[in-house]
Amino acid sequence: MKQGLLAALFIARKDLRTEFRTKEALNASVSFALVVLMLFSFAFDLGREEFYDISGGLLWLVYVFAGALIVNRSFIREVPNDCLDVLIASPMPPWALFLGKTIASFVLLLIVELISLPVYGLFNNLQWVHAFWPLFGVMTLATWGITITGVAFSAVTVNVRLRELMLPVLHYPLLIPLLVGAMQVSTALIKGEASDIMQELRIVIAFDLIFTSLALYLIEFILVG
Amino acid sequence: MRDKAIYILGILGTLLMIWNLHTIFVVLPGEAAQGQIGKMLFIHVPAAITAYSYYAVAVVCSIAFLVTKNFKYDSVAVSSIEVAQVFTLVNLVTGSLWGHVIWGIWWTWDLRLTSQFMCFMLYLGYLLMRPAIAEATQRATMSAILAIFAAADIPLVVMAIRLHNVRTQHPAPVLETGGVDATWWPPLATGYFVLMLIAAALVLVRLRQETVRREIDSLRRELHAM
């Protein structure tokens, strides 16, 4: 168990180091998030109050689109030179490899989110600083849900034809309950009406727990067969 | 043997359905508040329960495949999901028609409609992914995993759309609240039984296709080896 966790951290460090050297996924994801944010300003012509009502929903749309670009790369980056086969054949358990990749994607997506949040606030004249820490908590919980399922699907689709098309088709419907919860909590926090968010938060936490345990258990079937 | 079962189930299902439709449209009076359109219940609700029954079969078979690696389970799972998708579509379309007459709108994002639609989308992903994986064992394994993920997601979808600030238009489920007249129960139960029979016949037809396809694949591989 301890060995596995150490191996997971090692994989996460390797993935993050590779990513920070090229910044391929990070740059693409941040610029994509900015483009979507800009498009929102053309798509909606709302009053200030009305925009606050949908602020959490829009925020999570940006995050989930940007997340697709990050998790998509997770296992595909190991395909050239048969690196994935070597990683699977190594003595480390498959769940450790999967957990490491999820941690790396989680950190990357959280960075993208932390960059886009102030830009989102700036573009739309939203006051979010008062709710930063609770928002950061929701971002952490929901981002974990997005990455754990996204990286699992990235492993499922690694040998699939048209995998770039398949991943969102499989991933987004699964994320609906998580996103419904995260969107409503975020809207409530930004509006400063966060007295009754436990029900929504419970769904986000339940999603994280169910899919983390399911993915860690099933990953051996996905990677080894 | 399987061919005989298909014919028996199909003929029995059709005859029972004709008899049941006669009861529904000729014998029973219209619904007190909604009139004849209220009889949509006899197709709408059994279609949904039939779909869920076959989704349940599919998840059990998917787990069985992962444990045993027996391709029969994979065939049953994919056949059940395809048939369940058809019945989910029947449920969505009849619901939409019913809604158009009673609510005046074709669609609304409320609890049951959304959960049913999400269920349809989740398993649509399953059916779209299958042909994209060439290797049989990998296809079956990945499909089984997707079916398990989808099944784990459904309770969460239901939980999420029951949140207090999500709009709702659908009435409280009449089957749970005892809002159905005693004379309506027998045709409703028969409706479910009939659709289960027809669905079983369809699953068996689809299962035969899967078996033949697997045989053709193995013959093709043998040919390549030669």
Side-chain angles (χ1 to χ4, degrees), chain A residues 16 20 26 102-112 143 147:
Chain A
L16 286 173
F20 287 132
L26 207 56
T102 307
I103 293 170
S105 294
F106 170 75
V107 172
L108 291 174
L109 184 54
L110 213 53
I111 292 172
V112 175
T143 306
T147 42

Side-chain angles (χ1 to χ4, degrees), chain B residues 158-198:
Chain B
V158 174
M159 244 172 92
I161 51 192
R162 272 181 199 231
L163 290 175
H164 49 80
N165 43 359
V166 173
R167 285 166 295 160
T168 181
Q169 178 118 18
H170 213 276
V174 283
L175 301 188
E176 291 167 24
T177 51
V180 177
D181 190 80
T183 54
W184 278 42
W185 275 108
L188 200 58
T190 317
Y192 171 60
F193 182 63
V194 162
L195 291 190
M196 284 298 279
L197 285 183
I198 292 174

Side-chain angles (χ1 to χ4, degrees), chain A residues 20-150:
Chain A
F20 287 132
R21 275 182 190 156
T22 60
K23 299 187 191 65
E24 277 173 348
L26 207 56
N27 284 344
S29 190
V30 169
S31 33
F32 181 70
L34 293 180
V35 170
V36 176
L37 283 175
M38 196 180 70
L39 286 174
F40 282 162
S41 63
F42 294 112
F44 305 107
D45 187 17
L46 300 172
R48 198 176 144 77
E49 286 304 309
E50 287 164 315
F51 196 86
Y52 267 86
D53 284 341
I54 57 166
S55 54
L58 292 184
L59 190 65
W60 280 100
L61 281 184
V62 176
Y63 290 172
V64 79
F65 287 147
L69 298 186
I70 302 258
V71 295
N72 210 355
R73 299 273 307 144
S74 182
F75 272 90
I76 294 170
R77 73 163 86 236
E78 308 291 357
V79 171
N81 304 324
D82 295 328
C83 293
L84 187 57
D85 292 337
V86 176
L87 283 172
I88 293 170
S90 71
M92 125 182 87
W95 65 262
L97 170 62
F98 171 70
L99 191 64
K101 293 216 156 276
T102 307
I103 293 170
S105 294
F106 170 75
V107 172
L108 291 174
L109 184 54
L110 213 53
I111 292 172
V112 175
E113 289 175 359
L114 287 174
I115 295 172
S116 8
L117 181 64
V119 181
Y120 179 68
L122 200 79
F123 277 3
N124 301 301
N125 200 16
L126 275 181
Q127 302 292 327
W128 54 272
V129 181
H130 64 278
F132 175 73
W133 287 110
L135 258 180
F136 184 71
V138 180
M139 275 156 63
T140 313
L141 286 172
T143 306
W144 179 258
I146 293 175
T147 42
I148 194 109
T149 48

